[in-house]
Each structure stands twice: as C-alpha cells, then as structure tokens.
Amino acid sequence: MNTLEVINWILFLAVTVYALGLFVQVVRTRIAYIKMGRKVEIDKAWKERINKVMVNVFGQKKLLKDKKSGTIHVMMFYGFLLVQFGAIDFIWKGLATGSHLPLGFLYPGFTFFQELVTLMILIAVIWAFYRRYIEKLVRLKRGFKAGLVLIFIGTLMLSVLLGNGMEIVWHGEELTWTEPVASGIAAAFAWMSPTAAAVVFFVAWWIHLIALLSFLVYVPQSKHAHLLAAPTNVFLSRNDPPGKLSKIDFNIDEEDEEDVSFGVGKIEDFDQLQMIDFYACVECGRCTNVCPAAGSGKMLSPMDLIVKLRDHLTEKGAVVTGKSPWVPSYAFAGTEGNQLAKMAKEGYSGQDEAAATIEAMESTNLIGDVITEEELWACTTCRNCEDACPVMNEHVDKIIDLRRYLVLTEGKMDPDAQRAMMNIERQGNPWGLSKKERQNWRDADENLYVPTVKELKKEEEDFEYLFWVGAMGSYDNRSQKIVQDFARLMNKAGVKFAILGNKERNSGDTARRLGNEFLFQELAEKNIKDFEKNGVKKIVTTDPHAYNVFKNEYPDFGLEAEVYHHTEFLAKLVEEGRLTPEHEVKERITYHDSCYLGRYNEVYEEPRDVLKAIPGVTVVEMERSRENSMCCGAGGGLMWTEEKTGNRVNVARTEQALETDPNTIASACPFCLTMLSDGTKAKEVEEDVSTMDVAEVLAKSIFGDEKEEKTAS
C-alpha cells in the first residue's frame, strides 16, 4: 500500500466515523425529544404489526394511491436499497485499487444490474423534478430545501457512473456490455492518460462518499427523517379501530385538583406514539390535498398542522434537553434551535436576556402561538387525511386532544357548538326540543308498528334488536322519513325490534368530537346502564356516528353488544330473502359514502349491494368515492355550527355528485342527507335531482305505489 493509499484510508475513516457520529447524535436527540411525551402501552400483536410494515412500507400500498408519485417513490425506494450494494463496491474500488467485491462469476451480472438500477433512479429523480418544479403539483412544496434530496440522489448516481467509467480508462480495461453506461463514458474519455483518469476517479469517489455521508447526516434532521421514522411509525401504529379516540381518566387526587388539566395544552401532553408522527411526516401534502376544510378555503392544513407541531417539539426539546437539534453544531450555531439548546445547557441566570428567551419558549401557548383555534374548529374529523397519508400519521386524534384542552380546561368553544352541548345536556338533543317529543315520529303512520321497550315489557314480549333512532331521526322532519321507512322494512321482514322512545338519550358522539369528553362519558355510562337494564344484545341504527361510537368506543366503558348500521342490516335481509325488491325504480343513483360508515368502519359494499338489488336502479360512482369519498361537512360536530370562512363543504361535495349526471343522490347518513339536500338547493337543482337514503330507495321498491300513497298523505 503506497503513501497515497494510506492517506486515502485515513481520510476515509476520519470522515466516515465523524459522519456516523453526527448521525447517531441527531437520532438520539430526536428520540430524547420524543421521550418528553407521555408513555404509552403498546400491545404485542407482532404479527399484525409486521404485516402492516410489509403492506405499507415494502408494499407501498398507500403511496400507490397516487399512481404517478407512487411509481416514482417505488423506483427510488427499491432503487436506493439495491444501489447500496453498488455503492459498497464503488467504495471498495477506491480503498483497494484494482479490485472489487469478491463475487466471482456473478460479478458481471451484478454490475449490469447495478447500472440498470442506477439509471432507474436517475429517471425517477428527473420525473420527480418535473412533477415538483415543471408540472408544479399544488400539494408539493418548492424551493431549494424541497429539492435538496434530488440533488443528493442525482449526485450519488452520476458520481458512481463517472467513477466506474474512469476506472476502466485508468486500468486499461476492455469495454463491456455488463457496464454499458460506464463503458460509454470510458469510450468518450479514452483520450485521457491513466493518471488523469485516476485523478478523476478519486474526485468522483470522494464526491460520492461525501454526498453519501452528508445525506446520512441530513436525513434525520430534515423531512426525510421519514426514512427512519415512517417504518417505525407504521410498525408501532395503533391496532385499534380507525379513528378511535382515547379515554380520559377523570378520577384525580384532591391534591392535584389545582394543577389538573385535560386534553393537550403543551407539546409534552401528546403521547410518544403521537410524537413519532411528527417526524414521520414527509410533507408530501397528500393529506391537505384531500382535506375538505383546506379544499374549501378554511384555515386548516393537516400537513401544516403536523409540521408546526414537529417544529415546536424540536425547539421545546432543545430547551428541555439542552441537546442541539441541528448538526454539525458549529455550522448551525445561528439557528434558533441550537441557540436555545446552548442557552439551556449553559444555565443562564434569571437576570439574563437568554433566560428570558428560554422562559418565553417554555411559556409558549401551543394553542394560539403554534396552532390557531380556527384550525382546530375547521376539522370535520373525516379522516381522509389519515387514509391518504402514506406513513400512517393520525391527525384527527391530535386535533380532538387539542379541542379537549380548549373545552375542558379553558372553557372555550364555538358559541353554536356550546349551545348544542347545553341542549344535549338538558334535553338530550342539539336543538333543545322536549324529551317528551322524542317518540312522536311514530304517529305519522298509524299502521307503523314501532314499540318501545317499555311497551313490550308491559305486553311481556321480547325484542331482538334495539333500534337506536338518534336525535336526527327523532326530531328532524326529513330524517324522520328515513327511520319510518326503515321501520316499515323491519316490519315487512318480521324483525322483532323496539326503541327506547322518550328514554333515549344522545349517543355522545357530537360531544366527544367537539372536545367535551366529560359529557360524552356521562352519556355513555348512562346509555350502557339502560342497555344492560333492558337486556340489549343487538343494536341497529341509521346514524353512522352513533354506529361508530357504539361499536368502537363504547366497549371501553363496558358495552357488550352487536352493533349494525341499517345498510348492513338491510343488505342481510335482502340476501336472506326476507326482503325482496319487486317494483322497478328507474333512477340513475350516485351513492355518497359517509365518513363514519366508510373510512371509520369500512362499510362500502353493503349500501351498494342494496341499491344494485333494486330493479331499474343504475349506480354510478363519483370520482371521489369509497375510501377517498369527500366529507359532507357535518362531521366533528360541525353539523351544529356555521361555516364562517371559505366555501361551503357540502356544496363542493354536491357539485362532485352532480358531475355523474344523477337523478338521485343516495346516502346512508341523516347528517349527510341534510347537507346534500342543502347542496342541491344551493345549486338550484332540487327539482331535478332528489336526495334519498338507501332505506328510502329500497322501501320504494318493496312497497311501490303503497309507499307513494302514504308519502302523499
């Protein structure tokens, strides 16, 4: 080994060890920041967790929802994994000149494959550059930082190709088909002397090494931290039903009453799994792209919310831990994070300006200074952002936790929402209408048999299903027609059911989504006691919000019952032959997927199965349907508030439905039906396009003229 080779080795070891040290430092710092959060128990369902990693990390399932961007990412993801073997071979060649990886007769095939992979990555880089800077995809950020990763990857690929070409010239090797690009470069520079080629080789070699190590250090302190955090996030993601909210323990010691707070008021109040989400975010904008609030001009951007929380955690973490977030520290000494870490580490006295800076950071209001109240109240909790997120980030639970702090700790709430809460507390419904009028909807049809649990007890009769009518079905004139038709269909099928009547309360979903966890738990406990008292084992409801909360969240409070949505139930009755659609319904119908039925509970087929079983019905799909269906705007308790900024979400959704040229827009949720009906009125098409629940369409086919006559009367 000559002197130059020894020097090369020494420099290589020094630079590599230094870069690895910086990488470990950044990763440990981010872990320290995450550990500031509340500890959380993780179940040991390893099989399910490994499966999620295989599907979403290696299978790239969610990324491929956007075919173009997904394809680019697949090319880069697998290309970058595979090309590392070529990088090892290239570095080997610079440390042991004249040799390569000892792969024997496999080496020619290895080099050919590596060149194909390298070219594939370069194509992906050019394509990604085009999508971001030429096509200017709205959801993608632009600027130098956004494109830095493309510069890194492009440099790595080009340097290895140039270096391999120069090595052929340097050692006087023959051109070969197994290295077509490198051989082409060698042919173009055949006029070079071996010494000049060696110099260019080592220039390319060092560019490749420094770019590789710089990228290694850059990744964990940039949005590309998702390369580490995303697989971790997917593996550790909750195995609970989608969108399930955590339970708050209101049992507190008397000694802690003065300091107690509920919800998230400080960044440290989030749990550690929630904090991993912050660093897993890749800022791809897919969440914001599908968000109904963002799309209708509201303040909320799910991506920006996560990024702001991440940046605040990084700065707060620097203060709390004294660890600099950006390395090398000397190169980023002027950044706010590093300055805060330095101040915290050196422990300035209370008289110093630095101490005031630290105190200001520690007293920063998470809600107000970092996240605005307007952002929080704009969320419809539809979870389209979460469905679109390729790294399985959860946005809604964080928004609800922040709402909980506003409502339970600071006593702040939108006046309309506050009024709805008070009405639910007093009368069990958001309008504040009398509890004694809850079962009056039965009186519209004297032939309709809808017994209450109390009435059946008097007659000493049993029931199999409790029909949970809900506030909309009980009080809203339009929704009453849905529950009446559903009751008729159950009568026709011979289903033994009962309602609670005037004893029915609110399910609590609205209260929980608006942040009033205390009211929700009070309602849940009382409802469960009523269910147990009346021997309820099966519940069916026309309200997807009640369906979701009963099925997925009430079990935390002790509910043990089978829960059905009415479209699931009707599909079952039709399949079993207990209901037979006979009369032709000549309608071109587009079906709107309710968020709480679809994305929350994956009920997509049953409503469509019912519609498709009806003679004469033609079902046409909207561009945004099933898991990508757009929210109607009523979720998250926003049914009871007024949209004060931007465009109306329900009108935007109605416009999407009208693009299919339907006669009828069908839904399976009373909230959605109300919003879509208002949408057709806003578009002045209510005379030409009707809005109906799936149960109403089925009833039309089952009862025919008989139903028409009853409706008219």
Side-chain angles (χ1 to χ4, degrees), residues 432-472:
L433 298 172
S434 174
K435 298 176 185 177
K436 297 178 181 179
E437 298 175 7
R438 198 170 190 110
Q439 66 189 42
N440 290 358
W441 62 272
R442 303 186 302 171
D443 301 336
D445 183 357
E446 60 183 18
N447 296 318
L448 190 63
Y449 180 61
V450 183
T452 65
V453 171
K454 185 178 179 180
E455 289 167 351
L456 287 183
K457 279 186 177 180
K458 284 183 179 179
E459 297 171 9
E460 296 184 350
E461 290 189 20
D462 295 327
F463 64 93
E464 184 178 3
Y465 293 90
L466 175 73
F467 175 23
W468 182 271
V469 182
M472 289 291 286

Side-chain angles (χ1 to χ4, degrees), residues 535-609:
V536 174
K537 297 298 180 184
K538 297 177 182 179
I539 302 171
V540 63
T541 180
T542 57
D543 178 4
H545 297 259
Y547 167 73
N548 176 70
V549 81
F550 289 155
K551 181 180 178 181
N552 298 324
E553 297 180 355
Y554 267 44
D556 284 348
F557 301 89
L559 178 65
E560 295 180 2
E562 296 176 31
V563 185
Y564 298 90
H565 185 256
H566 75 294
T567 56
E568 292 179 299
F569 197 57
L570 291 174
K572 180 183 175 186
L573 294 176
V574 170
E575 184 182 3
E576 291 174 352
R578 295 170 68 181
L579 287 176
T580 304
E582 296 176 353
H583 302 279
E584 193 174 51
V585 179
K586 293 183 179 180
E587 297 287 345
R588 180 180 169 88
I589 298 177
T590 188
Y591 173 71
H592 162 79
D593 290 279
S594 161
C595 304
Y596 277 77
L597 188 60
R599 274 186 295 273
Y600 276 79
N601 289 284
E602 298 183 348
V603 178
Y604 297 114
E605 299 307 326
E606 289 85 343
R608 290 172 170 83
D609 289 344

Side-chain angles (χ1 to χ4, degrees), residues 74-371:
V74 168
M75 291 167 70
M76 285 191 179
F77 177 79
Y78 279 103
F80 209 71
L81 289 178
L82 295 169
V83 85
Q84 296 313 308
F85 297 102
I88 293 170
D89 182 52
F90 187 52
I91 292 169
W92 180 301
K93 291 175 180 178
L95 295 174
T97 57
S99 67
H100 53 69
L101 284 177
L103 297 177
F105 71 92
L106 295 175
Y107 188 73
F110 169 79
T111 57
F112 181 70
F113 179 72
Q114 283 298 316
E115 283 216 352
L116 291 180
V117 172
T118 302
L119 289 173
M120 179 182 74
I121 295 173
L122 281 172
I123 291 170
V125 167
I126 295 168
W127 194 1
F129 179 87
Y130 174 82
R131 292 269 285 172
R132 189 179 292 271
Y133 296 101
I134 308 299
E135 186 179 341
K136 294 185 178 179
L137 207 62
V138 175
R139 63 178 173 81
L140 296 177
K141 292 182 179 180
R142 279 165 281 284
F144 176 73
K145 281 181 68 176
L148 193 54
V149 66
L150 300 179
I151 295 173
F152 271 124
I153 296 174
T155 300
L156 288 170
M157 299 306 105
L158 293 173
S159 60
V160 77
L161 290 172
L162 176 62
N164 285 336
M166 290 298 103
E167 190 201 26
I168 293 173
V169 177
W170 175 18
H171 295 297
E173 298 172 358
E174 292 184 5
L175 306 184
T176 172
W177 66 270
T178 62
E179 293 183 89
V181 179
S183 294
I185 292 171
F189 290 91
W191 49 270
M192 269 189 171
S193 67
T195 302
V199 170
V200 176
F201 169 83
F202 277 105
V203 168
W205 189 86
W206 273 102
I207 288 174
H208 185 85
L209 180 66
I210 291 172
L212 184 63
L213 296 176
S214 298
F215 190 42
L216 180 71
V217 176
Y218 169 74
V219 161
Q221 53 188 337
S222 70
K223 68 174 186 174
H224 298 287
H226 78 278
L227 293 172
L228 304 171
T232 304
N233 199 46
V234 172
F235 181 75
L236 295 176
S237 61
R238 297 186 301 164
N239 285 319
D240 292 330
K244 180 182 176 183
L245 297 178
S246 62
K247 176 182 177 182
I248 290 181
D249 184 2
F250 288 105
N251 296 316
I252 55 174
D253 296 330
E254 291 184 9
E255 299 175 0
D256 301 329
E257 282 186 5
E258 291 185 8
D259 301 323
V260 73
S261 69
F262 300 108
V264 169
K266 304 189 298 291
I267 196 73
E268 307 96 298
D269 292 337
F270 285 117
D271 68 47
Q272 293 171 358
L273 290 185
Q274 289 176 310
M275 287 182 171
I276 295 175
D277 281 5
F278 304 156
Y279 292 115
C281 178
V282 67
E283 299 180 40
C284 64
R286 294 185 185 211
C287 54
T288 298
N289 195 48
V290 297
C291 174
S296 58
K298 309 297 189 295
M299 188 78 172
L300 176 63
S301 161
M303 180 188 74
D304 289 343
L305 180 125
I306 294 291
V307 169
K308 286 191 284 189
L309 290 172
R310 179 197 69 199
D311 293 346
H312 179 60
L313 172 60
T314 300
E315 292 178 357
K316 188 77 173 282
V319 170
V320 174
T321 67
K323 297 178 182 292
S324 298
W326 316 116
V327 300
S329 298
Y330 63 83
F332 297 98
T335 62
E336 185 175 2
N338 282 15
Q339 288 179 343
L340 288 168
K342 183 180 179 183
M343 292 173 192
K345 197 172 183 180
E346 294 180 359
Y348 288 89
S349 68
Q351 303 299 317
D352 292 328
E353 183 182 342
T357 304
I358 293 218
E359 187 178 342
M361 167 53 65
E362 291 178 336
S363 62
T364 297
N365 293 315
L366 184 59
I367 304 173
D369 296 328
V370 180
I371 305 297

Side-chain angles (χ1 to χ4, degrees), residues 589-660:
I589 298 177
T590 188
Y591 173 71
H592 162 79
D593 290 279
S594 161
C595 304
Y596 277 77
L597 188 60
R599 274 186 295 273
Y600 276 79
N601 289 284
E602 298 183 348
V603 178
Y604 297 114
E605 299 307 326
E606 289 85 343
R608 290 172 170 83
D609 289 344
V610 173
L611 292 174
K612 290 174 182 177
I614 299 170
V617 166
T618 300
V619 179
V620 289
E621 296 287 356
M622 288 182 246
E623 184 177 348
R624 289 186 64 174
S625 62
R626 298 178 186 270
E627 68 272 10
N628 195 39
S629 174
M630 181 178 168
C631 180
C632 72
L638 302 193
M639 177 75 182
W640 317 109
T641 64
E642 280 297 321
E643 294 184 59
K644 299 178 179 67
T645 59
N647 302 316
R648 298 187 69 85
V649 175
N650 66 315
V651 174
R653 182 54 173 166
T654 303
E655 289 172 346
Q656 294 172 6
L658 294 176
E659 288 175 0
T660 65

